[in-house]
């Protein structure tokens, strides 16, 4: 209950503000509830500011023709409150990491956009949607940095100047080769389609051969190589999304490269459901609808750019 959250923690204040907003949406407050709400607003200036932020956010949605749905029952209240809190936090914040990648990159792609880049040495980079690449100038080596997203590299031979990809605090050095690198925050995945690469991370070096894949986190050694499903890894280059027993949250992240907006699960545990299948990315809305049907989930649209999936 909102009135039970009396700590000064900013997250508790935001959560209480959302609770009060949702309770007002599902029906008129009683006299005692109205008095408790007014007392809560008056008890700390941060309370009123938080409530105005939430109200302003939902009003922003409604100006785009997206009326906020009314919930029914305590469970619906809790779920909608939590969902709106998460959505508000994300919509009211600047995606700082995307901005940094944009400013630092020499080549970039937008939502649903793939791009072929030929580097000065003749190497070819195929950038996946929502990806960013920076060129590092050096006389002794060819070095690039994958700042965001995913890329497939076809490296031109040059024994005198190694080809190095920086990613997630580590490096991937080509050994004459073609390979795919995908970055997700402080983790990178590497899959080799031709020859091999050397992965350096966390003070250790790992050789990944043709048809193998590995992954590493910042400041940690790469995992031992294992056989790669090359068709799945490179499916994005053919306009496909191949999923094999992956969490829904990871599938939604991948699909987010092809559609604008945010998709949330209510409750969040629904995003732990497993998904398998082969999907096209030319129509991401249809793909999302297929996944919803397969998992028995229903969508609630607050706008075309903000969707909640629920049972």
């Amino acid at each position: 209950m909102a009135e039970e959250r009396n700590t000064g923690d900013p997250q508790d204040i935001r959560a209480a503000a959302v609770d009060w907003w949702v309770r007002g949406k599902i029906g008129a407050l009683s006299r005692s509830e109205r008095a408790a709400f007014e007392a809560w607003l008056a008890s700390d200036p941060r309370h009123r500011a938080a409530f105005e932020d939430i109200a302003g956010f939902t009003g922003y949605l409604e100006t785009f023709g997206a009326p906020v749905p009314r919930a029914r029952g305590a469970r619906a209240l809790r779920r909608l409150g939590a969902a709106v809190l998460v959505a508000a936090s994300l919509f009211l914040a600047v995606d700082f990491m995307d901005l940094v990648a944009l400013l630092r990159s020499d080549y970039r792609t937008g939502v649903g956009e793939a791009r072929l880049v030929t580097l000065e040495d003749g190497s070819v980079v195929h950038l996946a949607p929502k990806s960013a690449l920076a060129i590092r100038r050096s006389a002794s080596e060819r070095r690039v940095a994958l700042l965001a997203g995913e890329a497939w590299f076809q490296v031109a031979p040059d024994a005198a100047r190694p080809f190095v990809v920086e990613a997630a605090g580590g490096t991937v050095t080509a050994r004459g080769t073609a390979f795919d690198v995908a970055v997700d925050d402080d983790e990178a995945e590497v899959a080799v389609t031709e020859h091999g690469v050397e992965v350096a991370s966390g003070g250790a070096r790992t050789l990944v051969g043709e048809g193998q894949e590995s992954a590493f986190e910042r400041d940690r050694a790469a995992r031992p190589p294992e056989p790669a499903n090359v068709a799945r890894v490179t499916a994005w280059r053919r306009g496909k999304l191949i999923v094999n027993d992956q969490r829904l949250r990871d599938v939604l992240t991948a699909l987010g490269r092809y559609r604008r907006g945010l998709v949330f699960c209510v409750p969040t545990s629904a995003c732990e459901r497993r998904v398998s299948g082969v999907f096209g990315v030319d129509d991401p809305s249809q793909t999302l609808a297929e996944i919803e049907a397969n998992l028995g989930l229903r969508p609630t649209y607050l706008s075309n750019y903000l969707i909640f999936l629920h049972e």
Side-chain angles (χ1 to χ4, degrees):
M1 299 292 289
E3 61 267 28
E4 295 175 349
R5 288 189 176 120
N6 295 318
T7 76
D9 185 274
Q11 292 187 355
D12 283 346
I13 292 174
R14 286 195 297 270
V18 171
D19 279 348
W20 280 119
W21 178 85
V22 174
R23 292 173 71 183
K25 290 296 290 185
I26 65 174
L29 296 177
S30 67
R31 182 175 300 178
S32 61
E33 287 175 326
R34 171 60 63 179
F37 173 55
E38 295 293 346
W40 179 79
L41 286 178
S43 64
D44 190 323
R46 294 176 298 171
H47 294 179
R48 183 176 295 278
F51 185 81
E52 290 177 350
D53 278 347
I54 298 301
F57 165 72
T58 54
Y60 167 82
L61 290 176
E62 290 173 338
T63 64
F64 282 85
V68 179
R70 292 181 179 271
R72 290 291 183 266
R75 178 176 295 181
L77 173 67
R78 290 194 298 270
R79 288 183 175 182
L80 180 58
V84 172
L85 176 61
V86 172
S89 298
L90 289 174
F91 267 75
L92 293 174
V94 175
D95 194 335
F96 182 71
M97 292 306 296
D98 280 354
L99 179 60
V100 169
L102 178 67
L103 295 176
R104 293 172 56 197
S105 64
D106 295 291
Y107 301 98
R108 65 196 67 87
T109 54
V111 174
E113 175 193 11
R115 181 179 181 183
L116 278 174
V117 177
T118 301
L119 304 180
E120 293 179 355
D121 70 323
S123 296
V124 176
V125 182
H126 193 177
L127 280 178
K130 290 192 70 174
S131 300
L133 186 77
I135 307 299
R136 308 295 197 217
R137 310 295 178 184
S138 171
S140 61
E141 62 182 10
R142 299 166 291 169
R143 181 176 287 253
V144 300
L146 184 61
L147 305 175
E150 186 170 2
W152 179 81
F153 300 88
Q154 178 72 62
V155 179
D158 187 345
R161 299 177 66 226
F163 189 96
V164 181
V165 178
E166 299 175 5
T171 60
V172 180
T173 302
R175 292 179 172 246
T177 192
F179 58 99
D180 186 277
V181 180
V183 174
D184 184 9
D185 294 329
D186 283 341
E187 183 175 5
E189 297 180 352
V190 181
V192 181
T193 56
E194 294 178 15
H195 302 112
V197 300
E198 181 182 79
V199 177
S201 178
R205 296 182 179 274
T206 304
L207 296 179
V208 185
E210 184 171 323
Q212 292 184 322
E213 64 182 0
S214 180
F216 60 92
E217 298 178 20
R218 185 178 298 274
D219 300 325
R220 294 190 178 184
R223 295 198 288 268
E226 57 185 29
N229 185 334
V230 175
R232 179 189 63 79
V233 171
T234 60
W236 65 269
R237 301 184 63 215
R238 305 185 300 276
K240 299 291 184 182
L241 177 63
I242 300 179
V243 180
N244 182 23
D245 194 33
Q246 291 181 245
R247 296 182 306 173
L248 175 57
R249 70 173 66 257
D250 297 327
V251 177
L252 292 176
T253 297
L255 195 60
R257 296 179 180 176
Y258 301 93
R259 66 175 306 278
R260 298 185 185 279
L262 300 172
V263 182
F264 298 97
C265 296
V266 183
T268 55
S269 58
C271 268
E272 298 302 316
R273 297 189 183 190
R274 314 302 289 193
V275 180
S276 295
V278 179
F279 306 99
V281 294
D282 292 336
D283 187 352
S285 295
Q286 176 60 33
T287 296
L288 183 59
E290 292 176 11
I291 293 173
E292 293 164 2
N294 290 341
L295 296 180
L297 297 174
R298 293 181 295 136
T300 292
Y301 287 78
L302 295 194
S303 76
N304 288 332
Y305 304 103
L306 182 56
I307 304 172
F308 295 114
L309 300 183
H310 54 90
E311 297 178 352

